[in-house]
Amino acid sequence: MDNKDSSASLNKLRSLDLNLLTIFEAVYLNKGIVHAANALNLTPSSVSQSIQKLRNIFPDPLFIRDGQGISPTAYATNLHKHISQGFSSILTGLDFTSDNDKSRVLTISCYPFIAQITFPLILSELEKINSHYILQHVPLTDAEDTLIQHRADLVIDISPQFNRSINSIRLMSDKTVFVCRQNHPTIDKTLSQEQAASQQFASVVTSIGDLKRMQFEISEALPERFVAFASFNAINVLSMVAGTDLLAVLPERMVDIFIPAFPVQKLQCEIPVQPYDILMLYNKSAKNDKTLSRIINVIGEAFVRQEAASKG
């Protein structure tokens, strides 16, 4: 539905008192005016008036007298089918916790390289909770602002946030590694500082505080390092490494995922690299959302199990 159709639909809804549809459903389900009035704590007269208003809107009497009660017309039966589906969707939007079959979109904001190493496990855990849950990725620019403005349910980042309204859970650790292509003409498995200083590099352009710090430390160790290719996309950098004699410094877990697809190798290097933690950040107010709170706990526990299994 495009914007024009959406606007037309909204204008139609503005002219319709949606309370009338609630009364219609009550009459349909209770098979009578009096029973519907009792269910809604209204007078039979007000229910009858509401049904009359609906008859003026729809081209059908909706209900006809049948002995001592009333019966819905075929038109009313079809109308009930669509209205009940709409009410179910509205109730799902208001409360995700009372029905395990309800759908929910979990929105996570993070950088692509973090999504690559965390989302498969997160989605598998969501499916265990509810097969109708949907995982949605949105780009990350500012973690604190994203959470404060509620643009995402969760943020996954490597930089901690020092805000009293934000909590964090450590998911895993990672580190950067030097990589080159397989069958590199001058390098194999190990990289000395002298060798690194004589090589050309591909580099990721990043705004991530901790990664920028690590790049700075590498630049300090290799002040003459020449960057022949730079990209905001780490996959582009890995592709350049695979097809040229360039070296790069990339997140190790990301490299491990793509080694089967890219002919590259990780190098042991004299230049020390610092490990970093990958954190899941969320608003403290998430505890008021029972479903989101449960999802946070499940995700956190899954990564604890994964790390324990990798060490075992």
Side-chain angles (χ1 to χ4, degrees):
M1 181 182 291
D2 58 27
N3 290 338
K4 185 177 179 181
D5 290 337
S6 296
S7 296
S9 297
L10 289 173
N11 285 328
K12 286 182 180 179
L13 286 174
R14 284 184 61 193
S15 63
L16 176 63
D17 183 354
L18 296 182
N19 288 322
L20 296 178
L21 300 183
T22 303
I23 292 173
F24 168 84
E25 279 293 280
V27 173
Y28 185 95
L29 295 173
N30 288 280
K31 299 180 173 58
I33 298 292
V34 174
H35 292 308
N38 291 334
L40 296 174
N41 198 27
L42 298 172
T43 65
S45 175
S46 64
V47 172
S48 295
Q49 291 174 13
S50 295
I51 295 300
Q52 185 57 49
K53 290 178 182 178
L54 285 172
R55 285 170 175 156
N56 294 332
I57 295 172
F58 296 107
D60 190 86
L62 300 178
F63 299 99
I64 56 174
R65 293 199 173 277
D66 181 15
Q68 298 298 315
I70 59 174
S71 298
T73 65
Y75 187 97
T77 299
N78 186 60
L79 185 62
H80 157 72
K81 177 181 177 182
H82 293 288
I83 290 174
S84 62
Q85 290 175 349
F87 281 177
S88 177
S89 296
I90 291 172
L91 290 172
T92 296
L94 295 174
D95 178 18
F96 300 104
T97 63
S98 61
D99 188 344
N100 290 331
D101 292 329
K102 290 179 179 177
S103 176
R104 175 167 181 154
V105 176
L106 178 69
T107 303
I108 300 181
S109 180
C110 64
Y111 296 104
F113 83 94
I114 291 179
Q116 290 157 6
I117 63 177
T118 60
F119 278 16
L121 180 57
I122 290 174
L123 182 59
S124 68
E125 293 302 313
L126 285 180
E127 290 175 341
K128 292 176 185 177
I129 300 173
N130 187 330
S131 61
H132 297 279
Y133 282 178
I134 299 167
L135 176 59
Q136 176 176 279
H137 176 223
V138 295
L140 179 63
T141 52
D142 184 304
E144 183 177 18
D145 185 66
T146 295
L147 288 172
I148 291 174
Q149 300 299 325
H150 295 273
R151 297 192 184 99
D153 297 305
L154 305 172
V155 166
I156 304 180
D157 198 7
I158 67 172
S159 300
Q161 294 296 317
F162 303 98
N163 186 308
R164 292 182 179 179
S165 66
I166 296 174
N167 279 343
S168 66
I169 295 175
R170 177 186 171 278
L171 298 183
M172 62 172 70
S173 63
D174 197 7
K175 63 181 179 180
T176 54
V177 291
F178 285 82
V179 294
C180 72
R181 72 176 176 89
Q182 294 177 8
N183 303 316
H184 192 281
T186 60
I187 299 171
D188 183 35
K189 296 182 181 178
T190 62
L191 180 70
S192 68
Q193 187 160 345
E194 183 180 359
Q195 284 178 309
S198 66
Q199 300 295 320
Q200 294 186 354
F201 280 77
S203 180
V204 179
V205 180
T206 179
S207 60
I208 306 174
D210 280 12
L211 287 186
K212 288 180 70 175
R213 174 183 57 79
M214 295 173 199
Q215 288 184 348
F216 176 78
E217 291 173 352
I218 292 170
S219 296
E220 287 286 289
L222 300 170
E224 303 300 322
R225 183 178 67 140
F226 179 70
V227 177
F229 174 77
S231 173
F232 285 95
N233 191 312
I235 302 300
N236 289 344
V237 171
L238 192 62
S239 177
M240 287 294 288
V241 169
T244 70
D245 291 337
L246 298 179
L247 273 64
V249 181
L250 293 168
E252 184 175 31
R253 288 181 181 267
M254 189 207 78
V255 174
D256 289 341
I257 290 174
F258 289 101
I259 275 182
F262 291 93
V264 299
Q265 59 176 323
K266 296 188 295 183
L267 301 171
Q268 297 294 325
C269 186
E270 294 177 353
I271 302 171
V273 291
Q274 296 297 321
Y276 55 88
D277 288 334
I278 296 175
L279 309 170
M280 179 170 64
L281 310 168
Y282 58 94
N283 285 309
K284 287 184 178 179
S285 60
K287 67 175 183 285
N288 299 322
D289 182 336
K290 293 181 180 179
T291 300
L292 180 56
S293 182
R294 181 187 179 197
I295 288 172
I296 290 169
N297 291 335
V298 166
I299 291 174
E301 291 166 0
F303 279 93
V304 169
R305 292 195 302 272
Q306 182 186 69
E307 187 170 47
S310 65
K311 291 179 179 179

